[in-house]
Amino acid sequence: MSMQRPTARTGAMSWYAWGEEDRAAPLAPHVRELIARTLGAELHDLPPVPEEEVRLPEPELPGPARDALAAALGGDGSRVRSDRAARLRHAAGKSTPDLLRMRAGRGVRAPDAVVLPGSHEEVEAVLAACAGHRVAVVPFGGGTSVVGGVDPLRGPFSAVVALDLRGMDRLVRIDAESGTAVLQAGLRTPEAEELLAAHGYTLGHLPQSYEYATIGGYAATRSSGQASSGYGRFDAMVLALKAATPRGTLELGRAPASAAGPDLRQLLLGSEGAFGVITEVTVRVRPVPAARHDEAWAFPGFAEGAAALRALARSPLRPTTARLSDETETFVNAALSGKEAAPGCLAVIGFDGDAEDVEARRAACARLLGEAGGTPLGSGPVADWRDSRFHAPYLRDTLLSAGVLAETLETAATWAGLLPLYRATSEAVSEALKGREGDAVVLCHISHTYPEGASLYFTVVTAAGDDPPARWERAKRAAGDAIAANGGTISHHHAVGTDHLPWMESEIGPLGAEVLRAVKERLDPEGILNPGKLVPPRAD
């Protein structure tokens, strides 16, 4: 099979917001007033400045470096862009601090150029040129990072370029006998799904960033989707990968499992472009499901619902989707959809497969959830969730324009530690945001379950106040400290980037940090790859 490209391309995201600018509707006056009363704060609008007023540093890519990059990409220089529009759109990810900087038009760290390779070989050539001219390289896929993962940091180098992989957008081959597909890293998820669906397959990977995130980004950050209970995390889908490094190519993985030493794929999965640039992955694919069934369940409280999901995760039934909102999130979600909230906590359970299998699993799960104290609510509440699940980032933009910070953070723990971690993190964030600028509303849901534990996904809503970046930094610091002190991981599926780096060494230990630095030094001797991310710096 020859390589195939998608027929429909996903458009570029806004430079100051998530996705398409016109999808974030203004906040209705009565809703704004209600939010202000709830938060106990006065709200001040935070509109974006006009694009032409954004202050960008002047590009400083040296001429010889630019010539070397042009030569690596065919010689004419058309795929080495230093125009203002390209640099602005590669200046940040989509975290609240990112969006605050972009909207204010100040403190924006733009790359000196944007480089657009179209093949693995061109990526290798770009890295060689950058290593030779001491230019930092930030791999850039969909630009959806919310932890500073694509910040164009120079480190000690004279310049920094964004390595945009969107030109690598092909389905290389599909192996129906083995149930695998080889995908290039620059494919966005809807594009990959279009190509796979033509052969009757799907990835089944549905994170909230689905519309814009790329295949390579999923691998580089260990992404986890909303259907991970059934389809698994993205890193678990990867059988093999190809990566370009300043030292050459790594091609890792050749069988479903191996005892040939440590699994070196794991050095690249989750490496955030700091060890190499993932250009191609071989992933497990599944047949497009013939049937799908969703249903909602109510539980008296978060503890009871968590116990039910634990029983489900340990059973052989394993629904495709299993989520549980706490009482606050259940109430807020119902209010946003204009519905009456279910008492207690709402769980969302979903099943994909053939019709007979779906019905059998649904019936067995219903018995288990009923015995665990759940009350069935039918499919209606889940329909609301499915309709709105990719809209939350747009709601964040709407709130931000009205002077409200609405940001997420996540962690995971064993079942034994999950509820203490939930309480400690919620309380720490709430306490950090109390004061003259109002209070915070902290919502949470269990988003991914495992036999041994689960993840917690928090949403924090608070007034922006007089210094919005500092206000969110207080919340993030309090959450990170609480997570580290209570046995949680600092990141379940958002990766490390710059935001989680302060807690990285406490999670993996000083010796673990040395191991990461040693890998970095071997694969990237000049240190040009995504400086300031993932790898804890030396104390000296």
Side-chain angles (χ1 to χ4, degrees):
M1 182 189 78
S2 60
M3 292 198 290
Q4 300 173 6
R5 303 183 83 168
T7 59
R9 297 300 302 268
T10 304
M13 286 202 284
S14 164
W15 62 270
Y16 70 85
W18 181 267
E20 302 168 12
E21 294 173 17
D22 58 359
R23 288 181 62 182
L27 203 61
H30 72 281
V31 175
R32 180 188 175 114
E33 183 180 344
L34 175 61
I35 292 173
R37 286 202 309 269
T38 301
L39 299 178
E42 185 177 351
L43 304 183
H44 303 282
D45 288 348
L46 294 172
V49 301
E51 182 173 345
E52 62 272 15
E53 293 183 14
V54 178
R55 302 175 190 172
L56 294 186
E58 290 298 316
E60 296 183 4
L61 183 66
R66 185 181 183 88
D67 292 343
L69 288 169
L73 298 177
D76 68 358
S78 62
R79 289 187 285 150
V80 182
R81 295 182 55 181
S82 56
D83 58 281
R84 178 183 172 83
R87 294 175 62 225
L88 179 62
R89 283 159 179 78
H90 292 78
K94 297 299 180 183
S95 70
T96 288
D98 292 332
L99 300 183
L100 288 169
R101 283 198 307 275
M102 300 299 276
R103 283 170 175 263
R106 301 187 303 274
V108 176
R109 296 184 291 258
D112 297 289
V114 178
V115 183
L116 300 159
S119 69
H120 174 87
E121 291 74 21
E122 288 187 341
V123 173
E124 271 199 319
V126 165
L127 297 186
C130 288
H133 290 271
R134 290 189 57 76
V135 172
V137 181
V138 178
F140 196 100
T144 63
S145 172
V146 293
V147 294
V150 295
D151 281 6
L153 303 181
R154 291 188 182 190
F157 304 103
S158 62
V160 57
V161 299
L163 183 68
D164 190 320
L165 299 170
R166 289 298 315 281
M168 301 179 64
D169 60 352
R170 295 163 180 83
L171 168 62
V172 179
R173 61 182 174 274
I174 195 157
D175 180 348
E177 185 174 3
S178 304
T180 64
V182 181
L183 302 172
Q184 288 189 324
L187 277 167
R188 287 187 175 172
T189 335
E191 298 165 356
E193 288 292 347
E194 176 205 321
L195 293 169
L196 292 173
H199 299 273
Y201 291 98
T202 182
L203 277 173
H205 192 63
L206 295 165
Q208 200 164 65
S209 59
Y210 172 91
E211 297 168 295
Y212 295 96
T214 60
I215 297 299
Y218 289 148
T221 59
R222 293 187 181 273
S223 174
S224 193
Q226 294 166 356
S228 65
S229 292
Y231 289 98
R233 293 168 57 94
F234 193 83
D235 52 346
M237 299 179 186
V238 176
L239 276 73
L241 59 82
K242 181 189 285 189
T245 81
R247 294 285 309 282
T249 292
L250 282 171
E251 293 191 70
L252 303 171
R254 58 174 59 189
S258 171
D263 186 352
L264 295 183
R265 291 175 305 171
Q266 302 303 322
L267 288 178
L268 275 298
L269 294 170
S271 64
E272 303 181 42
F275 300 156
V277 180
I278 296 171
T279 59
E280 186 177 282
V281 293
T282 302
V283 291
R284 178 184 68 235
V285 292
R286 305 282 183 85
V288 174
R292 171 174 290 145
H293 177 80
D294 298 318
E295 56 190 32
W297 288 75
F299 288 90
F302 197 57
E304 293 87 348
L309 262 60
R310 182 179 72 240
L312 205 55
R314 289 181 174 176
S315 78
L317 304 173
R318 299 298 291 172
T320 307
T321 302
R323 311 165 49 92
L324 174 73
S325 295
D326 69 3
E327 292 88 341
T328 305
E329 185 172 281
T330 297
F331 176 82
V332 169
N333 285 345
L336 290 173
S337 64
K339 304 291 178 63
E340 184 178 349
C345 296
L346 183 75
V348 170
I349 310 295
F351 306 88
D352 288 4
D354 63 61
E356 184 177 344
D357 173 64
V358 165
E359 175 54 30
R361 289 161 62 212
R362 184 210 65 77
C365 282
R367 287 193 293 272
L368 186 153
L369 294 173
E371 291 169 358
T375 301
L377 301 177
S379 296
V382 191
D384 292 335
W385 170 72
R386 282 204 179 271
D387 288 344
S388 64
R389 61 188 164 155
F390 299 138
H391 185 71
Y394 293 102
L395 177 59
R396 178 185 62 162
D397 289 337
T398 294
L399 292 170
L400 192 57
S401 294
V404 179
L405 307 183
E407 186 56 289
T408 63
L409 54 92
E410 33 73 55
T411 180
T414 61
W415 289 112
L418 196 71
L419 292 179
L421 177 62
Y422 162 71
R423 289 189 289 267
T425 305
S426 298
E427 291 168 4
V429 172
S430 295
E431 187 63 30
L433 293 173
K434 281 183 178 177
R436 66 177 182 80
E437 294 178 312
D439 295 328
V441 175
V442 181
L443 306 77
C444 186
H445 64 261
I446 292 174
S447 57
H448 311 276
T449 61
Y450 307 90
E452 306 80 15
S455 67
L456 294 170
Y457 195 99
F458 294 90
T459 301
V460 182
V461 182
T462 189
D466 297 330
D467 188 347
R471 188 157 172 78
W472 175 247
E473 172 61 25
R474 286 204 304 276
K476 186 69 174 179
R477 173 66 64 176
D481 288 346
I483 287 167
N486 287 274
T489 177
I490 197 60
S491 179
H492 174 260
H493 58 266
H494 282 166
V496 178
T498 58
D499 289 10
H500 294 147
L501 194 57
W503 296 278
M504 189 62 176
E505 186 162 334
S506 69
E507 175 141 342
I508 63 176
L511 184 57
E514 284 187 34
V515 171
L516 289 188
R517 288 193 289 267
V519 173
K520 173 80 169 171
E521 289 163 5
R522 179 60 60 178
L523 294 178
D524 179 21
E526 300 296 328
I528 62 169
L529 288 173
N530 219 2
K533 324 289 173 54
L534 178 68
V535 181
R538 285 188 172 86
D540 55 4

